[in-house]
Each structure stands twice: as C-alpha cells, then as structure tokens.
Amino acid sequence: MTCYLTACATEPSKPKDTSPAPDINALVTNSLVYAQRGALAQAKRTINQALILDPNSVDANNIAGLIYGKSQQAELAIKYFERALSQARNDASTLNNYGNFLCDYGNTQQAEEKFLRAGTHASNPNPEIAYTNAGLCALRVPDIDQAENYFKTALDFKENNSVALYQLAQINFTKGRAIPALERLHAYSQFASHTPQTLKLGIEIGRLMRDKEVEISYFNLLQNEYPTSEEYQWAIATIK
C-alpha cells in the first residue's frame, strides 16, 4: 500500500512504561501497616500483589497468614503459614505468628510447639519473644505454673522484658506471694511506663501486704496519671 505524507494514518506508538517495578519488600511492609490499622481489605490486596511477585516468599506468606488470621479466614491463614515454613522451617517470625494464630483458635498444644521451636532454634536472635508468647498462651489454658516458667525463661534471655515482668508480678500476686510480686512490678517500672493496670496491681499488692505506704503510693500515681480510668474508679470505690 502506498502511503502519502498528507494522508497516511499510522498506528501511534505506545509510550514506554517507565514506572518502577513493584518492590515486594515495600508491599509486605505496607500490607502489615494496613492490617495494624484494621484496613484488612487493603492489606489483603497489597499482600496478594506481593505473592504474585514471589509466591514462595517467606515474608510475604508469613504476613499473608497473619492477615488472613485476623480476617477469621483460618484455612487461608494455615495455608500461607505452612507455605512460609516449607521454605524456612525455623523462621522465628512465622513460628511466632503461627503460634499466636493457633492459640487464638484454642490449639494451645500446637501453638506451644511453634513457640518452643522458635525459642530454641540457634538462628533466632530474640528467643525471649517466643517464650513470652508461650507464657501468654499458657495463661489462656489456663496453666499458671507453665506460664510462670515461660516468663522466667524469657527474662533469662532479656531481663528488661516488660511484658514478662508484669505477668510475673501478676502471677506472684495471684499466688499470694506479695514480696516477689512487688519486686517484679518495681523491675517493670524500671523499663516501662506504668499503665492503669499495673498501678491497680500495685494497689492490690499493697493491700495484700497490708502496707498502707505501698498502697497509697500506687493510688496517688493512679490518681495523678489516670484520673479518668476505670481502675481509678475501682480504687476509689474499694479504698478503706
């Protein structure tokens, strides 16, 4: 076909796509942020983009399991956690997330196995997280003695673990051991800010000890720092 300058119609050339390729690490991070904000639909869309880029990514499958677990889609959560572990059997993050998921669904024995695998593996730089999770899960059984052991092990790895310190203070109080409870609560305050719950516990420990000085010191902190809290209202209603 002859084509003339003034009358020839040509197919316009398509512009090249110069946009950068999606970054799987950014997609995984963003999906986690969305999940933490409660935007689960957006989190799923974003993590699915990451999985398209690399279906076998340990991080992407781990976070997918976390997101689908939060969405109450248990079968999908298990699928992605298992896929992550098929690529990295002892990945601590996946084991901790999978364990928390299993504990949420009442499978505490399986959850414990995941936490202990994470806690005992040499490649895990933060075994205290696994033992803290194991302790929190044991409390839900409830198995107070086992929980206490796990929290103590967590402190062996990291002495400023505020979650373990608070839980041990609570356990000691529950068992009627006032002095150890107060010592754990004091240690907690060296590494973390008090909350209404920890200050309430301090008041309860003071009452268990029949030590007005301890009771009033925690009462005053609660009054000054959290005057609108339910714990302060409880303290006013129960003070003698």
Side-chain angles (χ1 to χ4, degrees):
M1 181 181 77
T2 304
C3 185
Y4 297 94
L5 280 177
T6 56
C8 179
T10 59
E11 198 60 38
S13 60
K14 294 182 179 179
K16 292 182 179 179
D17 185 1
T18 57
S19 59
D23 178 4
I24 188 170
N25 293 324
L27 289 169
V28 172
T29 299
N30 289 341
S31 67
L32 182 57
V33 171
Y34 289 132
Q36 290 169 338
R37 293 175 180 172
L40 294 177
Q42 183 65 37
K44 289 179 196 176
R45 286 193 292 270
T46 306
I47 200 61
N48 286 338
Q49 288 179 291
L51 289 167
I52 289 170
L53 291 177
D54 185 357
N56 294 317
S57 164
V58 174
D59 290 341
N61 280 285
N62 175 23
I63 300 305
L66 182 68
I67 290 168
Y68 282 100
K70 285 180 176 290
S71 301
Q72 306 296 312
Q73 294 175 268
E75 290 186 7
L76 284 173
I78 292 169
K79 167 188 169 182
Y80 288 117
F81 282 134
E82 290 289 347
R83 186 186 291 173
L85 292 178
S86 73
Q87 301 299 313
R89 182 178 184 276
N90 296 305
D91 180 67
S93 178
T94 302
L95 288 168
N96 275 303
N97 286 334
Y98 199 177
N100 284 325
F101 163 80
L102 290 168
C103 192
D104 286 342
Y105 275 80
N107 298 324
T108 54
Q109 188 172 355
Q110 293 180 51
E112 180 182 25
E113 184 274 326
K114 298 293 186 291
F115 293 136
L116 293 182
R117 197 201 307 175
T120 57
H121 199 266
S123 67
N124 183 0
N126 302 110
E128 74 280 357
I129 295 174
Y131 284 105
T132 301
N133 285 334
L136 293 171
C137 190
L139 286 177
R140 296 167 68 173
V141 173
D143 187 338
I144 305 301
D145 291 339
Q146 186 67 281
E148 184 175 16
N149 290 332
Y150 285 140
F151 290 132
K152 286 180 177 178
T153 303
L155 288 179
D156 288 340
F157 287 103
K158 188 176 181 182
E159 65 178 0
N160 65 344
N161 183 330
S162 60
V163 174
L165 286 167
Y166 168 68
Q167 293 298 339
L168 284 171
Q170 184 69 62
I171 288 170
N172 277 296
F173 168 75
T174 301
K175 291 186 172 185
R177 303 188 301 231
I179 299 300
L182 188 62
E183 290 173 348
R184 294 295 192 185
L185 189 59
H186 177 71
Y188 166 91
S189 70
Q190 305 303 302
F191 305 114
S193 298
H194 273 300
T195 67
Q197 292 76 29
T198 63
L199 293 173
K200 177 185 177 184
L201 177 58
I203 294 171
E204 291 177 313
I205 293 170
R207 292 176 181 175
L208 180 63
M209 297 172 64
R210 301 183 184 222
D211 188 323
K212 264 300 184 187
E213 185 177 346
V214 170
E215 178 186 350
I216 293 302
S217 67
Y218 281 103
F219 179 90
N220 288 339
L221 285 171
L222 185 59
Q223 182 180 45
N224 292 334
E225 295 181 23
Y226 303 101
T228 62
S229 66
E230 291 182 8
E231 288 76 9
Y232 179 59
Q233 299 307 313
W234 163 86
I236 293 174
T238 57
I239 197 167
K240 295 179 182 178

